Amino acid sequence: MAKRKTQKKPDNLLAQNKKAGHDYTILDTYEAGVALTGTEIKSVRDGKIQLRDGFAQVRRGEVWLENVHISPYKQGNQFNVDPLRNRKLLLHKKEIKKLGDATATEGVTLVPLKVYLKHGFAKVLIGVAKGKHTYDKRESLKRKEQKRDIARALKEHR
């Protein structure tokens, strides 16, 4: 009996925004650190983070991650903070300037794509994204389905 290949997420990947690839065209990506409190990082390491409705903004020379939900840590008592608070992203000044210039264009936004651990620190992969229209979404779904059909046909042909 042949073994099935199961696609597992890497150990360091904590959260992924799968909806972002469907709703946006990703133009460029940046890796940023996140300023978290002690109980927040413990909760993130447990995987209690949701990126679905999150976005980032450049304000006064700083990049802020907004609308990302990090559940309160169960053993955290009074040190827990608001789950939806804005969190500062740690980037170099040149990168912040590039992001500010990119988002100045109409229809371009910053979307969190993944949260993962790197050398013990939480990192966020931010995508410079342009929103898709509904017809673009349908087109990408159609292409995806065609690729799946081709792969299935090639597999059966062997």
Side-chain angles (χ1 to χ4, degrees), residues 17-147:
N17 189 354
K18 294 180 181 178
K19 191 106 171 126
H22 178 72
D23 291 341
Y24 300 99
T25 302
I26 308 300
L27 306 173
D28 199 7
T29 58
Y30 291 89
E31 180 182 76
V34 189
L36 298 172
T37 64
T39 56
E40 280 181 322
I41 188 64
K42 290 179 180 185
S43 192
V44 166
R45 285 184 177 151
D46 285 344
K48 308 280 194 237
I49 181 169
Q50 288 184 344
L51 299 175
R52 184 173 296 144
D53 297 326
F55 62 96
Q57 278 188 334
V58 179
R59 282 186 269 146
R60 286 180 250 135
E62 296 178 338
V63 183
W64 293 89
L65 187 63
E66 299 184 16
N67 213 18
V68 171
H69 187 276
I70 298 177
S71 298
Y73 188 60
K74 289 184 180 175
Q75 290 83 23
N77 61 32
Q78 81 260 21
F79 298 111
N80 282 332
V81 292
D82 179 30
L84 284 174
R85 78 177 183 93
N86 298 339
R87 293 164 182 91
K88 187 176 178 179
L89 294 180
L90 308 172
L91 291 158
H92 293 284
K93 282 188 178 183
K94 290 179 183 178
E95 292 175 328
I96 294 172
K97 177 133 177 57
K98 284 181 187 177
L99 291 175
D101 293 343
T103 55
T105 319
E106 192 170 328
V108 177
T109 186
L110 301 175
V111 180
L113 302 174
K114 294 179 185 178
V115 174
Y116 52 92
L117 291 176
K118 186 173 181 182
H119 305 296
F121 295 103
K123 301 288 183 178
V124 178
L125 186 68
I126 295 179
V128 178
K130 189 171 177 86
K132 285 186 184 178
H133 296 286
T134 52
Y135 54 84
D136 290 335
K137 292 178 190 177
R138 279 187 248 127
E139 183 67 31
S140 60
L141 283 175
K142 191 162 69 170
R143 280 197 203 118
K144 190 176 179 182
E145 191 174 319
Q146 287 172 348
K147 286 181 182 178

